[in-house]
Amino acid sequence: MSISKRVKEIAPSLTLEITAKAKKLKSEGVSVIGFGAGEPDFNTPDYIIRAAKKALDTGFTKYTPASGMAELKQAVCDKFAKDNNLIYKPSQIVISTGAKSSLYHAICALVNEGDEVILPSPYWLTYPELIKLAGGVTVYVNAGKESGYKITAAMLDAAITDKTKCLILNSPNNPTGAVYEEEELKAIAKVCEKRGIYVISDEIYEKLVYGGVKHVSIASLSDYMKEHTVVVNGVSKSYSMTGWRIGYLAAPEDLAKGISSMQSHTTSNACSIAQYASVEALNSPESEKFIENMQKVFDERRTYMVKTLQEIPGVICIEPKGAFYVFADVSSCYGKSFEGEKITGSLSFADCALKKGVALVPGVAFGDDNCVRLSYAISIEDIKEGLARLKEFIGELK
């Protein structure tokens, strides 16, 4: 069978590859601590589950409009007004089968064949593949640890050409946990306006910020940015609803209409029952307490993980301010060997660490081969044991 060139060029997920290796070892009776988790280890709250049961009991099991049920779109509008000082109409909201779907539809709606999309690196590994599928060209802008894994306005300005269509901004960031401050975003917004480019702002981790840091949406900074930004979010991380598959976006009305039309031919509406439950997630006064507790637990784990990693010789770890990941530089270990295998980069580092029962995600998957990603969306007991194994592993390198 002849597979299209576009599909042939899609890279397999290294996170899934590491997960598969870890699962295989576990099935063979090997103890493995997995730091690859990309979802909260909290159950979906009971009040949200009850809402889903109510949807089933009342027969809310039919199609909804392709862009989402009216009650959920209004709940999203209310959320944007309350949390982000952004006023949208329901016609500017599109509910999707997860934020990843929203991102793909937004990129497709903005990017023509050959258009350039600026992507700060490190980046979530799916972005380049979505850009590629849409026919766009990814322009990477390296934001290393020296800049706190964040690009500056000057770096953005230097990367823009006459082919640039948009910037993808992810704050809080996966994999680094970096959070852009308001003044940093204002400077970036000025460049976007001066050069006439769009922004796709992925804000899926907005509720998970720590140490008094405040999440700011770039769309809220000016009228221009609101009219030139697609804000992508969802319920997966904030309400521990990853499997429910509900994402959403807010966009200028003509763009939202186009995305809605596209979605009507690709996925149609998101699951009606999950939509019904998401209304409760966004509207319930219980949600604030749930998120506050999750933040507190994650913050405690974050603090422990950062402190412990910084005490391991050869590991450089910048404190993350958001999400639930730590991006640790382990490049000082490269060139050394473990059980006869030479470590040449993050992939071989992760492979060797797995032999000690520690599953890490290699940074090369995110555009930075110097680092590995560790998630603290696992129990504190597993974090302590896993980091002890990691320290022992690094100490055994020769």
Side-chain angles (χ1 to χ4, degrees):
M1 179 177 286
S2 178
I3 301 173
S4 72
K5 180 184 176 185
R6 207 169 267 181
V7 170
K8 280 182 181 177
E9 290 178 350
I10 297 302
S13 170
L14 277 176
T15 55
L16 294 181
E17 186 179 319
I18 291 292
T19 300
K21 288 179 182 178
K23 283 183 178 178
K24 184 176 184 296
L25 286 172
K26 285 182 178 179
S27 71
E28 296 168 353
V30 179
S31 171
V32 177
I33 303 295
F35 284 107
E39 59 183 348
D41 58 324
F42 291 76
N43 289 330
T44 302
D46 287 343
Y47 63 92
I48 296 175
I49 293 172
R50 287 195 297 270
K53 290 177 179 177
K54 182 179 178 182
L56 289 166
D57 290 340
T58 56
F60 194 74
T61 57
K62 307 296 183 183
Y63 292 132
T64 73
S67 62
M69 58 184 282
E71 294 86 349
L72 181 52
K73 292 172 79 170
Q74 185 58 56
V76 169
C77 288
D78 294 342
K79 172 255 176 286
F80 276 121
K82 176 175 174 284
D83 294 344
N84 310 108
N85 195 30
L86 284 166
I87 306 302
Y88 291 107
K89 297 180 291 186
S91 56
Q92 294 178 270
I93 307 298
V94 182
I95 309 299
S96 68
T97 55
K100 189 180 291 187
S101 178
S102 290
L103 285 164
Y104 178 57
H105 285 133
I107 293 168
C108 284
L110 281 172
V111 176
N112 291 309
E113 195 77 28
D115 281 350
E116 292 178 350
V117 180
I118 294 176
L119 183 62
S121 177
Y123 49 80
W124 180 44
L125 56 84
T126 292
Y127 295 136
E129 309 311 318
L130 297 184
I131 294 166
K132 200 182 299 178
L133 278 171
V137 177
T138 304
V139 175
Y140 299 99
V141 178
N142 184 52
K145 60 181 182 290
E146 298 78 15
S147 62
Y149 297 115
K150 295 183 283 187
I151 65 166
T152 64
M155 292 161 71
L156 171 63
D157 196 40
I160 295 173
T161 72
D162 57 2
K163 293 183 179 179
T164 304
K165 189 61 177 287
C166 66
L167 160 72
I168 292 181
L169 195 64
N170 176 211
S171 178
N173 180 267
N174 172 13
T176 67
V179 179
Y180 284 83
E181 296 177 9
E182 186 170 355
E183 291 307 309
E184 293 170 326
L185 289 173
K186 283 180 177 178
I188 288 171
K190 284 181 180 178
V191 173
C192 292
E193 182 168 359
K194 180 182 75 172
R195 304 299 294 271
I197 67 169
Y198 288 84
V199 174
I200 297 175
S201 183
D202 182 352
E203 303 178 13
I204 193 70
Y205 293 98
E206 73 161 329
K207 297 288 186 180
L208 300 175
V209 290
Y210 316 103
V213 170
K214 180 186 176 185
H215 167 74
V216 177
S217 174
I218 194 169
S220 69
L221 297 180
S222 69
D223 290 340
Y224 177 89
M225 290 315 303
K226 186 184 175 189
E227 288 304 310
H228 289 78
T229 300
V230 180
V231 182
V232 175
N233 210 320
V235 299
S236 59
K237 315 297 183 182
S238 298
Y239 307 97
S240 199
M241 294 175 68
T242 50
W244 299 72
R245 308 313 303 137
I246 296 294
Y248 56 82
L249 63 79
E253 195 147 8
D254 57 341
L255 194 58
K257 184 178 179 181
I259 292 171
S260 178
S261 295
M262 189 192 323
Q263 188 166 290
S264 72
H265 293 293
T266 53
T267 62
S268 192
N269 66 272
C271 171
S272 60
I273 298 141
Q275 286 192 66
Y276 195 97
S278 297
V279 174
E280 185 68 12
L282 289 169
N283 286 346
S284 174
E286 294 186 62
S287 288
E288 189 172 335
K289 184 177 180 181
F290 172 77
I291 293 169
E292 186 178 302
N293 177 63
M294 185 163 60
Q295 271 183 321
K296 181 181 177 183
V297 173
F298 279 153
D299 194 16
E300 290 169 354
R301 297 174 184 173
R302 177 187 73 104
T303 301
Y304 178 84
M305 183 179 280
V306 170
K307 181 177 182 294
T308 304
L309 284 170
Q310 288 177 340
E311 291 172 351
I312 299 176
V315 176
I316 300 173
C317 174
I318 294 176
E319 182 184 27
K321 300 295 186 181
F324 40 70
Y325 308 107
V326 171
F327 207 51
D329 188 321
V330 294
S331 59
S332 67
C333 299
Y334 299 172
K336 297 181 180 180
S337 297
F338 180 76
E339 295 182 355
E341 182 178 342
K342 189 173 183 178
I343 295 175
T344 57
S346 61
L347 187 55
S348 55
F349 182 93
D351 281 340
C352 288
L354 196 54
K355 295 177 183 178
K356 290 291 289 186
V358 183
L360 309 163
V361 184
V364 68
F366 308 106
D368 189 338
D369 198 29
N370 289 325
C371 299
V372 290
R373 191 191 77 175
L374 299 88
S375 168
Y376 46 91
I378 59 175
S379 71
I380 190 65
E381 291 78 18
D382 280 351
I383 289 172
K384 289 179 178 180
E385 174 62 23
L387 293 181
R389 294 182 187 184
L390 180 63
K391 182 178 181 179
E392 184 178 330
F393 160 68
I394 291 175
E396 292 177 8
L397 298 179
K398 298 176 180 177

